[in-house]
PDB file of all heavy atoms in Angstrom:
ATOM      1  N   VAL A 519     102.169  30.364 -99.243  1.00  0.00           N
ATOM      2  CA  VAL A 519     102.818  29.106 -99.623  1.00  0.00           C
ATOM      3  C   VAL A 519     104.273  29.147 -99.162  1.00  0.00           C
ATOM      4  O   VAL A 519     105.007  30.103 -99.448  1.00  0.00           O
ATOM      5  CB  VAL A 519     102.742  28.901-101.149  1.00  0.00           C
ATOM      6  CG1 VAL A 519     103.542  27.671-101.565  1.00  0.00           C
ATOM      7  CG2 VAL A 519     101.293  28.780-101.593  1.00  0.00           C
ATOM      8  N   GLY A 520     104.683  28.133 -98.406  1.00  0.00           N
ATOM      9  CA  GLY A 520     106.031  28.072 -97.882  1.00  0.00           C
ATOM     10  C   GLY A 520     106.107  28.356 -96.391  1.00  0.00           C
ATOM     11  O   GLY A 520     107.138  28.095 -95.756  1.00  0.00           O
ATOM     12  N   TYR A 521     105.017  28.880 -95.805  1.00  0.00           N
ATOM     13  CA  TYR A 521     105.040  29.183 -94.369  1.00  0.00           C
ATOM     14  C   TYR A 521     105.290  27.930 -93.535  1.00  0.00           C
ATOM     15  O   TYR A 521     106.063  27.969 -92.556  1.00  0.00           O
ATOM     16  CB  TYR A 521     103.709  29.826 -93.967  1.00  0.00           C
ATOM     17  CG  TYR A 521     103.516  29.973 -92.474  1.00  0.00           C
ATOM     18  CD1 TYR A 521     104.182  30.968 -91.761  1.00  0.00           C
ATOM     19  CD2 TYR A 521     102.674  29.106 -91.761  1.00  0.00           C
ATOM     20  CE1 TYR A 521     104.015  31.100 -90.385  1.00  0.00           C
ATOM     21  CE2 TYR A 521     102.503  29.237 -90.389  1.00  0.00           C
ATOM     22  CZ  TYR A 521     103.178  30.232 -89.707  1.00  0.00           C
ATOM     23  OH  TYR A 521     103.015  30.351 -88.344  1.00  0.00           O
ATOM     24  N   ARG A 522     104.670  26.819 -93.926  1.00  0.00           N
ATOM     25  CA  ARG A 522     104.767  25.605 -93.112  1.00  0.00           C
ATOM     26  C   ARG A 522     106.165  24.990 -93.114  1.00  0.00           C
ATOM     27  O   ARG A 522     106.462  24.151 -92.270  1.00  0.00           O
ATOM     28  CB  ARG A 522     103.742  24.567 -93.599  1.00  0.00           C
ATOM     29  CG  ARG A 522     102.308  25.021 -93.365  1.00  0.00           C
ATOM     30  CD  ARG A 522     101.290  24.036 -93.909  1.00  0.00           C
ATOM     31  NE  ARG A 522      99.923  24.520 -93.698  1.00  0.00           N
ATOM     32  CZ  ARG A 522      98.838  23.898 -94.138  1.00  0.00           C
ATOM     33  NH1 ARG A 522      98.950  22.767 -94.827  1.00  0.00           N
ATOM     34  NH2 ARG A 522      97.649  24.403 -93.910  1.00  0.00           N
ATOM     35  N   SER A 523     107.010  25.409 -94.095  1.00  0.00           N
ATOM     36  CA  SER A 523     108.383  24.866 -94.088  1.00  0.00           C
ATOM     37  C   SER A 523     109.364  25.711 -93.298  1.00  0.00           C
ATOM     38  O   SER A 523     110.527  25.370 -93.190  1.00  0.00           O
ATOM     39  CB  SER A 523     108.959  24.753 -95.484  1.00  0.00           C
ATOM     40  OG  SER A 523     108.172  25.101 -96.448  1.00  0.00           O
ATOM     41  N   GLU A 524     108.885  26.840 -92.704  1.00  0.00           N
ATOM     42  CA  GLU A 524     109.796  27.701 -91.953  1.00  0.00           C
ATOM     43  C   GLU A 524     110.075  27.108 -90.580  1.00  0.00           C
ATOM     44  O   GLU A 524     109.259  26.384 -90.011  1.00  0.00           O
ATOM     45  CB  GLU A 524     109.186  29.110 -91.830  1.00  0.00           C
ATOM     46  CG  GLU A 524     108.947  29.764 -93.171  1.00  0.00           C
ATOM     47  CD  GLU A 524     109.002  31.279 -93.095  1.00  0.00           C
ATOM     48  OE1 GLU A 524     109.528  31.811 -92.106  1.00  0.00           O
ATOM     49  OE2 GLU A 524     108.522  31.910 -94.045  1.00  0.00           O
ATOM     50  N   GLU A 525     111.276  27.413 -90.075  1.00  0.00           N
ATOM     51  CA  GLU A 525     111.715  26.860 -88.794  1.00  0.00           C
ATOM     52  C   GLU A 525     110.762  27.289 -87.680  1.00  0.00           C
ATOM     53  O   GLU A 525     110.372  28.459 -87.580  1.00  0.00           O
ATOM     54  CB  GLU A 525     113.127  27.359 -88.472  1.00  0.00           C
ATOM     55  CG  GLU A 525     113.693  26.784 -87.190  1.00  0.00           C
ATOM     56  CD  GLU A 525     115.094  27.300 -86.894  1.00  0.00           C
ATOM     57  OE1 GLU A 525     115.646  28.012 -87.756  1.00  0.00           O
ATOM     58  OE2 GLU A 525     115.611  26.995 -85.811  1.00  0.00           O
ATOM     59  N   GLY A 526     110.360  26.329 -86.846  1.00  0.00           N
ATOM     60  CA  GLY A 526     109.476  26.618 -85.732  1.00  0.00           C
ATOM     61  C   GLY A 526     108.006  26.549 -86.056  1.00  0.00           C
ATOM     62  O   GLY A 526     107.169  26.798 -85.185  1.00  0.00           O
ATOM     63  N   VAL A 527     107.672  26.205 -87.320  1.00  0.00           N
ATOM     64  CA  VAL A 527     106.271  26.154 -87.747  1.00  0.00           C
ATOM     65  C   VAL A 527     105.833  24.703 -87.888  1.00  0.00           C
ATOM     66  O   VAL A 527     106.555  23.875 -88.454  1.00  0.00           O
ATOM     67  CB  VAL A 527     106.070  26.909 -89.075  1.00  0.00           C
ATOM     68  CG1 VAL A 527     104.656  26.709 -89.610  1.00  0.00           C
ATOM     69  CG2 VAL A 527     106.371  28.394 -88.896  1.00  0.00           C
ATOM     70  N   ASP A 528     104.657  24.404 -87.384  1.00  0.00           N
ATOM     71  CA  ASP A 528     104.077  23.061 -87.519  1.00  0.00           C
ATOM     72  C   ASP A 528     103.861  22.754 -89.003  1.00  0.00           C
ATOM     73  O   ASP A 528     103.259  23.570 -89.721  1.00  0.00           O
ATOM     74  CB  ASP A 528     102.737  23.035 -86.779  1.00  0.00           C
ATOM     75  CG  ASP A 528     102.093  21.652 -86.747  1.00  0.00           C
ATOM     76  OD1 ASP A 528     102.407  20.823 -87.625  1.00  0.00           O
ATOM     77  OD2 ASP A 528     101.258  21.410 -85.858  1.00  0.00           O
ATOM     78  N   PRO A 529     104.343  21.608 -89.491  1.00  0.00           N
ATOM     79  CA  PRO A 529     104.160  21.257 -90.908  1.00  0.00           C
ATOM     80  C   PRO A 529     102.698  21.196 -91.336  1.00  0.00           C
ATOM     81  O   PRO A 529     102.395  21.259 -92.531  1.00  0.00           O
ATOM     82  CB  PRO A 529     104.824  19.881 -91.030  1.00  0.00           C
ATOM     83  CG  PRO A 529     105.749  19.783 -89.873  1.00  0.00           C
ATOM     84  CD  PRO A 529     105.135  20.595 -88.772  1.00  0.00           C
ATOM     85  N   GLU A 530     101.772  21.080 -90.375  1.00  0.00           N
ATOM     86  CA  GLU A 530     100.341  21.076 -90.692  1.00  0.00           C
ATOM     87  C   GLU A 530      99.649  22.307 -90.094  1.00  0.00           C
ATOM     88  O   GLU A 530      98.456  22.291 -89.803  1.00  0.00           O
ATOM     89  CB  GLU A 530      99.681  19.799 -90.178  1.00  0.00           C
ATOM     90  CG  GLU A 530     100.256  18.536 -90.820  1.00  0.00           C
ATOM     91  CD  GLU A 530      99.589  17.278 -90.313  1.00  0.00           C
ATOM     92  OE1 GLU A 530      98.719  17.376 -89.420  1.00  0.00           O
ATOM     93  OE2 GLU A 530      99.929  16.190 -90.812  1.00  0.00           O
ATOM     94  N   SER A 531     100.388  23.387 -89.943  1.00  0.00           N
ATOM     95  CA  SER A 531      99.891  24.585 -89.261  1.00  0.00           C
ATOM     96  C   SER A 531      98.644  25.154 -89.929  1.00  0.00           C
ATOM     97  O   SER A 531      98.544  25.223 -91.154  1.00  0.00           O
ATOM     98  CB  SER A 531     100.981  25.660 -89.247  1.00  0.00           C
ATOM     99  OG  SER A 531     100.465  26.873 -88.750  1.00  0.00           O
TER     100      SER A 531
END
Side-chain angles (χ1 to χ4, degrees):
V519 174
Y521 170 76
R522 294 177 181 176
S523 358
E524 300 208 17
E525 183 180 354
V527 173
D528 185 337
E530 298 180 357
S531 173

